[in-house]
Amino acid sequence: MIWMILLALCNGLLIGFCRALNGRLSQDKGPFTASFYNHAIGALLLTFIVIIFSVASIIPLTLSNVWLEVSSSGWQEAPLFTYLGGVIGALYVAINSHVLTRIGALKTALFVISGQMITGVIFDISEQSMAASIAQVLGVGLIIIGIYRSQHRS
């Protein structure tokens, strides 16, 4: 479990660093160009990593089995709407790059994380018990109050 926590923290640091870089690139080139470069370079890097891991057989057997299972099932079997994740991701980077230059890194991160929490609660609310749902809705209320208070401080 500690490994996953450290990995999640590392992911958070990388996201913050990526936001700062994309914000700076957005100032120079525009938000959609920044999003394009972000995704193009990311796709090239991931392609390189997959090729290296495949050739060197570094991927552990369990991950290799998962990869073979996913690749053998065929991309045609997935519902078409599942591929919207890439479009949403590109729009997220473009919007984030645009907003970051206007309100700063801290407020952008606050709003993005708040939006993620609220969306997560909306998706999970139907799968939880009534007590858990009430607790989550109260948590969302606290997030909204916190956002409001951070914007209207004197």
Side-chain angles (χ1 to χ4, degrees), residues 71-101:
S71 63
S72 67
S73 67
W75 59 271
Q76 301 90 346
E77 294 177 14
L80 191 58
F81 72 88
T82 58
Y83 294 98
L84 288 176
V87 174
I88 293 169
L91 285 173
Y92 162 75
V93 171
I95 291 168
N96 198 45
S97 298
H98 179 70
V99 169
L100 186 107
T101 60

PDB file of all heavy atoms in Angstrom, residues 71-101:
ATOM      1  N   SER A  71      -4.688  -6.451 -25.528  1.00  0.00           N
ATOM      2  CA  SER A  71      -4.425  -6.301 -26.960  1.00  0.00           C
ATOM      3  C   SER A  71      -5.106  -7.390 -27.783  1.00  0.00           C
ATOM      4  O   SER A  71      -5.486  -7.151 -28.910  1.00  0.00           O
ATOM      5  CB  SER A  71      -2.923  -6.294 -27.220  1.00  0.00           C
ATOM      6  OG  SER A  71      -2.361  -7.531 -26.836  1.00  0.00           O
ATOM      7  N   SER A  72      -5.290  -8.579 -27.217  1.00  0.00           N
ATOM      8  CA  SER A  72      -5.936  -9.644 -27.987  1.00  0.00           C
ATOM      9  C   SER A  72      -7.448  -9.460 -28.050  1.00  0.00           C
ATOM     10  O   SER A  72      -8.096  -9.987 -28.939  1.00  0.00           O
ATOM     11  CB  SER A  72      -5.593 -11.011 -27.384  1.00  0.00           C
ATOM     12  OG  SER A  72      -6.175 -11.125 -26.102  1.00  0.00           O
ATOM     13  N   SER A  73      -8.014  -8.700 -27.094  1.00  0.00           N
ATOM     14  CA  SER A  73      -9.462  -8.506 -27.114  1.00  0.00           C
ATOM     15  C   SER A  73      -9.871  -7.591 -28.256  1.00  0.00           C
ATOM     16  O   SER A  73     -10.996  -7.648 -28.722  1.00  0.00           O
ATOM     17  CB  SER A  73      -9.948  -7.931 -25.782  1.00  0.00           C
ATOM     18  OG  SER A  73      -9.456  -6.623 -25.605  1.00  0.00           O
ATOM     19  N   GLY A  74      -8.956  -6.746 -28.698  1.00  0.00           N
ATOM     20  CA  GLY A  74      -9.251  -5.887 -29.844  1.00  0.00           C
ATOM     21  C   GLY A  74      -9.905  -4.593 -29.433  1.00  0.00           C
ATOM     22  O   GLY A  74     -10.772  -4.555 -28.574  1.00  0.00           O
ATOM     23  N   TRP A  75      -9.469  -3.513 -30.017  1.00  0.00           N
ATOM     24  CA  TRP A  75     -10.014  -2.204 -29.683  1.00  0.00           C
ATOM     25  C   TRP A  75     -11.419  -2.042 -30.236  1.00  0.00           C
ATOM     26  O   TRP A  75     -12.163  -1.191 -29.800  1.00  0.00           O
ATOM     27  CB  TRP A  75      -9.106  -1.098 -30.193  1.00  0.00           C
ATOM     28  CG  TRP A  75      -8.897  -1.125 -31.682  1.00  0.00           C
ATOM     29  CD1 TRP A  75      -7.924  -1.798 -32.369  1.00  0.00           C
ATOM     30  CD2 TRP A  75      -9.681  -0.467 -32.659  1.00  0.00           C
ATOM     31  NE1 TRP A  75      -8.069  -1.597 -33.706  1.00  0.00           N
ATOM     32  CE2 TRP A  75      -9.140  -0.773 -33.926  1.00  0.00           C
ATOM     33  CE3 TRP A  75     -10.801   0.369 -32.600  1.00  0.00           C
ATOM     34  CZ2 TRP A  75      -9.677  -0.294 -35.103  1.00  0.00           C
ATOM     35  CZ3 TRP A  75     -11.319   0.847 -33.795  1.00  0.00           C
ATOM     36  CH2 TRP A  75     -10.754   0.515 -35.027  1.00  0.00           C
ATOM     37  N   GLN A  76     -11.818  -2.886 -31.167  1.00  0.00           N
ATOM     38  CA  GLN A  76     -13.145  -2.761 -31.760  1.00  0.00           C
ATOM     39  C   GLN A  76     -14.250  -3.132 -30.782  1.00  0.00           C
ATOM     40  O   GLN A  76     -15.385  -2.714 -30.953  1.00  0.00           O
ATOM     41  CB  GLN A  76     -13.276  -3.663 -32.999  1.00  0.00           C
ATOM     42  CG  GLN A  76     -12.280  -3.386 -34.081  1.00  0.00           C
ATOM     43  CD  GLN A  76     -11.006  -4.203 -33.941  1.00  0.00           C
ATOM     44  OE1 GLN A  76     -10.734  -4.803 -32.914  1.00  0.00           O
ATOM     45  NE2 GLN A  76     -10.205  -4.216 -34.988  1.00  0.00           N
ATOM     46  N   GLU A  77     -13.929  -3.893 -29.751  1.00  0.00           N
ATOM     47  CA  GLU A  77     -14.949  -4.348 -28.812  1.00  0.00           C
ATOM     48  C   GLU A  77     -15.344  -3.279 -27.797  1.00  0.00           C
ATOM     49  O   GLU A  77     -16.386  -3.390 -27.170  1.00  0.00           O
ATOM     50  CB  GLU A  77     -14.458  -5.597 -28.088  1.00  0.00           C
ATOM     51  CG  GLU A  77     -14.295  -6.782 -29.025  1.00  0.00           C
ATOM     52  CD  GLU A  77     -13.749  -7.999 -28.313  1.00  0.00           C
ATOM     53  OE1 GLU A  77     -13.742  -8.017 -27.068  1.00  0.00           O
ATOM     54  OE2 GLU A  77     -13.325  -8.930 -28.996  1.00  0.00           O
ATOM     55  N   ALA A  78     -14.513  -2.269 -27.619  1.00  0.00           N
ATOM     56  CA  ALA A  78     -14.837  -1.214 -26.650  1.00  0.00           C
ATOM     57  C   ALA A  78     -15.900  -0.298 -27.245  1.00  0.00           C
ATOM     58  O   ALA A  78     -15.861   0.017 -28.429  1.00  0.00           O
ATOM     59  CB  ALA A  78     -13.587  -0.413 -26.310  1.00  0.00           C
ATOM     60  N   PRO A  79     -16.855   0.143 -26.424  1.00  0.00           N
ATOM     61  CA  PRO A  79     -17.858   1.089 -26.927  1.00  0.00           C
ATOM     62  C   PRO A  79     -17.187   2.376 -27.418  1.00  0.00           C
ATOM     63  O   PRO A  79     -16.176   2.814 -26.866  1.00  0.00           O
ATOM     64  CB  PRO A  79     -18.737   1.381 -25.711  1.00  0.00           C
ATOM     65  CG  PRO A  79     -18.458   0.281 -24.755  1.00  0.00           C
ATOM     66  CD  PRO A  79     -17.083  -0.213 -25.035  1.00  0.00           C
ATOM     67  N   LEU A  80     -17.739   2.969 -28.438  1.00  0.00           N
ATOM     68  CA  LEU A  80     -17.139   4.136 -29.074  1.00  0.00           C
ATOM     69  C   LEU A  80     -16.963   5.300 -28.096  1.00  0.00           C
ATOM     70  O   LEU A  80     -15.951   6.010 -28.137  1.00  0.00           O
ATOM     71  CB  LEU A  80     -17.991   4.566 -30.272  1.00  0.00           C
ATOM     72  CG  LEU A  80     -17.376   5.596 -31.198  1.00  0.00           C
ATOM     73  CD1 LEU A  80     -16.049   5.104 -31.755  1.00  0.00           C
ATOM     74  CD2 LEU A  80     -18.324   5.932 -32.321  1.00  0.00           C
ATOM     75  N   PHE A  81     -17.917   5.501 -27.179  1.00  0.00           N
ATOM     76  CA  PHE A  81     -17.829   6.635 -26.256  1.00  0.00           C
ATOM     77  C   PHE A  81     -16.625   6.543 -25.323  1.00  0.00           C
ATOM     78  O   PHE A  81     -16.196   7.552 -24.770  1.00  0.00           O
ATOM     79  CB  PHE A  81     -19.120   6.810 -25.457  1.00  0.00           C
ATOM     80  CG  PHE A  81     -19.345   5.757 -24.416  1.00  0.00           C
ATOM     81  CD1 PHE A  81     -18.835   5.899 -23.141  1.00  0.00           C
ATOM     82  CD2 PHE A  81     -20.090   4.614 -24.721  1.00  0.00           C
ATOM     83  CE1 PHE A  81     -19.045   4.926 -22.176  1.00  0.00           C
ATOM     84  CE2 PHE A  81     -20.305   3.646 -23.767  1.00  0.00           C
ATOM     85  CZ  PHE A  81     -19.779   3.791 -22.486  1.00  0.00           C
ATOM     86  N   THR A  82     -16.053   5.346 -25.130  1.00  0.00           N
ATOM     87  CA  THR A  82     -14.909   5.228 -24.229  1.00  0.00           C
ATOM     88  C   THR A  82     -13.680   5.934 -24.773  1.00  0.00           C
ATOM     89  O   THR A  82     -12.776   6.265 -24.016  1.00  0.00           O
ATOM     90  CB  THR A  82     -14.570   3.751 -23.953  1.00  0.00           C
ATOM     91  OG1 THR A  82     -14.298   3.095 -25.189  1.00  0.00           O
ATOM     92  CG2 THR A  82     -15.705   3.058 -23.234  1.00  0.00           C
ATOM     93  N   TYR A  83     -13.645   6.192 -26.062  1.00  0.00           N
ATOM     94  CA  TYR A  83     -12.505   6.887 -26.655  1.00  0.00           C
ATOM     95  C   TYR A  83     -12.608   8.397 -26.494  1.00  0.00           C
ATOM     96  O   TYR A  83     -11.711   9.122 -26.912  1.00  0.00           O
ATOM     97  CB  TYR A  83     -12.357   6.504 -28.128  1.00  0.00           C
ATOM     98  CG  TYR A  83     -11.990   5.044 -28.268  1.00  0.00           C
ATOM     99  CD1 TYR A  83     -12.956   4.083 -28.540  1.00  0.00           C
ATOM    100  CD2 TYR A  83     -10.685   4.615 -28.076  1.00  0.00           C
ATOM    101  CE1 TYR A  83     -12.635   2.751 -28.638  1.00  0.00           C
ATOM    102  CE2 TYR A  83     -10.348   3.286 -28.161  1.00  0.00           C
ATOM    103  CZ  TYR A  83     -11.326   2.353 -28.447  1.00  0.00           C
ATOM    104  OH  TYR A  83     -11.003   1.036 -28.530  1.00  0.00           O
ATOM    105  N   LEU A  84     -13.666   8.888 -25.891  1.00  0.00           N
ATOM    106  CA  LEU A  84     -13.795  10.315 -25.612  1.00  0.00           C
ATOM    107  C   LEU A  84     -12.813  10.773 -24.531  1.00  0.00           C
ATOM    108  O   LEU A  84     -12.578  11.966 -24.377  1.00  0.00           O
ATOM    109  CB  LEU A  84     -15.221  10.653 -25.186  1.00  0.00           C
ATOM    110  CG  LEU A  84     -16.272  10.610 -26.284  1.00  0.00           C
ATOM    111  CD1 LEU A  84     -17.659  10.862 -25.699  1.00  0.00           C
ATOM    112  CD2 LEU A  84     -15.963  11.631 -27.357  1.00  0.00           C
ATOM    113  N   GLY A  85     -12.246   9.826 -23.793  1.00  0.00           N
ATOM    114  CA  GLY A  85     -11.286  10.190 -22.753  1.00  0.00           C
ATOM    115  C   GLY A  85     -10.121  10.995 -23.302  1.00  0.00           C
ATOM    116  O   GLY A  85      -9.659  11.951 -22.672  1.00  0.00           O
ATOM    117  N   GLY A  86      -9.640  10.647 -24.477  1.00  0.00           N
ATOM    118  CA  GLY A  86      -8.553  11.407 -25.089  1.00  0.00           C
ATOM    119  C   GLY A  86      -8.967  12.816 -25.446  1.00  0.00           C
ATOM    120  O   GLY A  86      -8.214  13.777 -25.251  1.00  0.00           O
ATOM    121  N   VAL A  87     -10.181  12.964 -25.960  1.00  0.00           N
ATOM    122  CA  VAL A  87     -10.693  14.293 -26.307  1.00  0.00           C
ATOM    123  C   VAL A  87     -10.868  15.126 -25.048  1.00  0.00           C
ATOM    124  O   VAL A  87     -10.465  16.301 -24.995  1.00  0.00           O
ATOM    125  CB  VAL A  87     -12.035  14.175 -27.069  1.00  0.00           C
ATOM    126  CG1 VAL A  87     -12.647  15.532 -27.316  1.00  0.00           C
ATOM    127  CG2 VAL A  87     -11.842  13.418 -28.375  1.00  0.00           C
ATOM    128  N   ILE A  88     -11.443  14.523 -24.016  1.00  0.00           N
ATOM    129  CA  ILE A  88     -11.632  15.226 -22.750  1.00  0.00           C
ATOM    130  C   ILE A  88     -10.278  15.607 -22.160  1.00  0.00           C
ATOM    131  O   ILE A  88     -10.101  16.717 -21.645  1.00  0.00           O
ATOM    132  CB  ILE A  88     -12.463  14.373 -21.770  1.00  0.00           C
ATOM    133  CG1 ILE A  88     -13.899  14.237 -22.295  1.00  0.00           C
ATOM    134  CG2 ILE A  88     -12.449  14.979 -20.371  1.00  0.00           C
ATOM    135  CD1 ILE A  88     -14.727  13.214 -21.553  1.00  0.00           C
ATOM    136  N   GLY A  89      -9.302  14.714 -22.252  1.00  0.00           N
ATOM    137  CA  GLY A  89      -7.962  15.008 -21.743  1.00  0.00           C
ATOM    138  C   GLY A  89      -7.312  16.172 -22.470  1.00  0.00           C
ATOM    139  O   GLY A  89      -6.687  17.040 -21.846  1.00  0.00           O
ATOM    140  N   ALA A  90      -7.463  16.207 -23.788  1.00  0.00           N
ATOM    141  CA  ALA A  90      -6.891  17.318 -24.561  1.00  0.00           C
ATOM    142  C   ALA A  90      -7.567  18.635 -24.204  1.00  0.00           C
ATOM    143  O   ALA A  90      -6.898  19.664 -24.035  1.00  0.00           O
ATOM    144  CB  ALA A  90      -7.019  17.033 -26.053  1.00  0.00           C
ATOM    145  N   LEU A  91      -8.888  18.614 -24.057  1.00  0.00           N
ATOM    146  CA  LEU A  91      -9.600  19.824 -23.654  1.00  0.00           C
ATOM    147  C   LEU A  91      -9.212  20.252 -22.240  1.00  0.00           C
ATOM    148  O   LEU A  91      -9.059  21.443 -21.952  1.00  0.00           O
ATOM    149  CB  LEU A  91     -11.107  19.624 -23.749  1.00  0.00           C
ATOM    150  CG  LEU A  91     -11.686  19.629 -25.154  1.00  0.00           C
ATOM    151  CD1 LEU A  91     -13.163  19.250 -25.127  1.00  0.00           C
ATOM    152  CD2 LEU A  91     -11.495  20.976 -25.813  1.00  0.00           C
ATOM    153  N   TYR A  92      -9.032  19.282 -21.358  1.00  0.00           N
ATOM    154  CA  TYR A  92      -8.615  19.584 -19.991  1.00  0.00           C
ATOM    155  C   TYR A  92      -7.281  20.317 -19.992  1.00  0.00           C
ATOM    156  O   TYR A  92      -7.117  21.333 -19.304  1.00  0.00           O
ATOM    157  CB  TYR A  92      -8.515  18.293 -19.166  1.00  0.00           C
ATOM    158  CG  TYR A  92      -7.698  18.455 -17.915  1.00  0.00           C
ATOM    159  CD1 TYR A  92      -8.213  19.122 -16.813  1.00  0.00           C
ATOM    160  CD2 TYR A  92      -6.399  17.976 -17.835  1.00  0.00           C
ATOM    161  CE1 TYR A  92      -7.471  19.290 -15.660  1.00  0.00           C
ATOM    162  CE2 TYR A  92      -5.648  18.143 -16.693  1.00  0.00           C
ATOM    163  CZ  TYR A  92      -6.179  18.804 -15.616  1.00  0.00           C
ATOM    164  OH  TYR A  92      -5.441  18.982 -14.493  1.00  0.00           O
ATOM    165  N   VAL A  93      -6.311  19.814 -20.748  1.00  0.00           N
ATOM    166  CA  VAL A  93      -4.995  20.450 -20.781  1.00  0.00           C
ATOM    167  C   VAL A  93      -5.090  21.851 -21.372  1.00  0.00           C
ATOM    168  O   VAL A  93      -4.489  22.801 -20.865  1.00  0.00           O
ATOM    169  CB  VAL A  93      -3.979  19.578 -21.557  1.00  0.00           C
ATOM    170  CG1 VAL A  93      -2.678  20.329 -21.783  1.00  0.00           C
ATOM    171  CG2 VAL A  93      -3.717  18.286 -20.807  1.00  0.00           C
ATOM    172  N   ALA A  94      -5.878  22.011 -22.437  1.00  0.00           N
ATOM    173  CA  ALA A  94      -6.014  23.334 -23.062  1.00  0.00           C
ATOM    174  C   ALA A  94      -6.678  24.327 -22.110  1.00  0.00           C
ATOM    175  O   ALA A  94      -6.196  25.455 -21.931  1.00  0.00           O
ATOM    176  CB  ALA A  94      -6.823  23.217 -24.357  1.00  0.00           C
ATOM    177  N   ILE A  95      -7.764  23.912 -21.468  1.00  0.00           N
ATOM    178  CA  ILE A  95      -8.460  24.801 -20.535  1.00  0.00           C
ATOM    179  C   ILE A  95      -7.573  25.110 -19.332  1.00  0.00           C
ATOM    180  O   ILE A  95      -7.465  26.259 -18.887  1.00  0.00           O
ATOM    181  CB  ILE A  95      -9.805  24.186 -20.088  1.00  0.00           C
ATOM    182  CG1 ILE A  95     -10.780  24.159 -21.267  1.00  0.00           C
ATOM    183  CG2 ILE A  95     -10.401  24.948 -18.919  1.00  0.00           C
ATOM    184  CD1 ILE A  95     -12.023  23.329 -21.016  1.00  0.00           C
ATOM    185  N   ASN A  96      -6.913  24.081 -18.814  1.00  0.00           N
ATOM    186  CA  ASN A  96      -6.033  24.264 -17.667  1.00  0.00           C
ATOM    187  C   ASN A  96      -4.896  25.223 -18.001  1.00  0.00           C
ATOM    188  O   ASN A  96      -4.548  26.094 -17.198  1.00  0.00           O
ATOM    189  CB  ASN A  96      -5.486  22.902 -17.226  1.00  0.00           C
ATOM    190  CG  ASN A  96      -4.927  22.934 -15.837  1.00  0.00           C
ATOM    191  OD1 ASN A  96      -5.539  23.483 -14.936  1.00  0.00           O
ATOM    192  ND2 ASN A  96      -3.768  22.343 -15.663  1.00  0.00           N
ATOM    193  N   SER A  97      -4.309  25.090 -19.184  1.00  0.00           N
ATOM    194  CA  SER A  97      -3.219  25.971 -19.601  1.00  0.00           C
ATOM    195  C   SER A  97      -3.704  27.413 -19.721  1.00  0.00           C
ATOM    196  O   SER A  97      -2.985  28.346 -19.375  1.00  0.00           O
ATOM    197  CB  SER A  97      -2.637  25.505 -20.933  1.00  0.00           C
ATOM    198  OG  SER A  97      -2.097  24.220 -20.822  1.00  0.00           O
ATOM    199  N   HIS A  98      -4.911  27.580 -20.198  1.00  0.00           N
ATOM    200  CA  HIS A  98      -5.478  28.921 -20.361  1.00  0.00           C
ATOM    201  C   HIS A  98      -5.788  29.557 -18.997  1.00  0.00           C
ATOM    202  O   HIS A  98      -5.448  30.705 -18.740  1.00  0.00           O
ATOM    203  CB  HIS A  98      -6.737  28.842 -21.222  1.00  0.00           C
ATOM    204  CG  HIS A  98      -7.411  30.150 -21.443  1.00  0.00           C
ATOM    205  ND1 HIS A  98      -6.875  31.140 -22.226  1.00  0.00           N
ATOM    206  CD2 HIS A  98      -8.568  30.657 -20.952  1.00  0.00           C
ATOM    207  CE1 HIS A  98      -7.678  32.186 -22.229  1.00  0.00           C
ATOM    208  NE2 HIS A  98      -8.718  31.912 -21.456  1.00  0.00           N
ATOM    209  N   VAL A  99      -6.426  28.797 -18.128  1.00  0.00           N
ATOM    210  CA  VAL A  99      -6.843  29.316 -16.817  1.00  0.00           C
ATOM    211  C   VAL A  99      -5.630  29.585 -15.924  1.00  0.00           C
ATOM    212  O   VAL A  99      -5.600  30.579 -15.199  1.00  0.00           O
ATOM    213  CB  VAL A  99      -7.829  28.333 -16.147  1.00  0.00           C
ATOM    214  CG1 VAL A  99      -8.087  28.683 -14.698  1.00  0.00           C
ATOM    215  CG2 VAL A  99      -9.135  28.295 -16.918  1.00  0.00           C
ATOM    216  N   LEU A 100      -4.621  28.728 -15.993  1.00  0.00           N
ATOM    217  CA  LEU A 100      -3.448  28.858 -15.137  1.00  0.00           C
ATOM    218  C   LEU A 100      -2.770  30.210 -15.326  1.00  0.00           C
ATOM    219  O   LEU A 100      -2.319  30.825 -14.351  1.00  0.00           O
ATOM    220  CB  LEU A 100      -2.458  27.731 -15.442  1.00  0.00           C
ATOM    221  CG  LEU A 100      -1.268  27.683 -14.507  1.00  0.00           C
ATOM    222  CD1 LEU A 100      -1.425  26.511 -13.568  1.00  0.00           C
ATOM    223  CD2 LEU A 100       0.006  27.562 -15.295  1.00  0.00           C
ATOM    224  N   THR A 101      -2.717  30.690 -16.551  1.00  0.00           N
ATOM    225  CA  THR A 101      -2.066  31.979 -16.798  1.00  0.00           C
ATOM    226  C   THR A 101      -2.904  33.144 -16.281  1.00  0.00           C
ATOM    227  O   THR A 101      -2.381  34.236 -16.092  1.00  0.00           O
ATOM    228  CB  THR A 101      -1.798  32.173 -18.301  1.00  0.00           C
ATOM    229  OG1 THR A 101      -3.036  32.146 -19.016  1.00  0.00           O
ATOM    230  CG2 THR A 101      -0.889  31.086 -18.838  1.00  0.00           C
TER     231      THR A 101
END
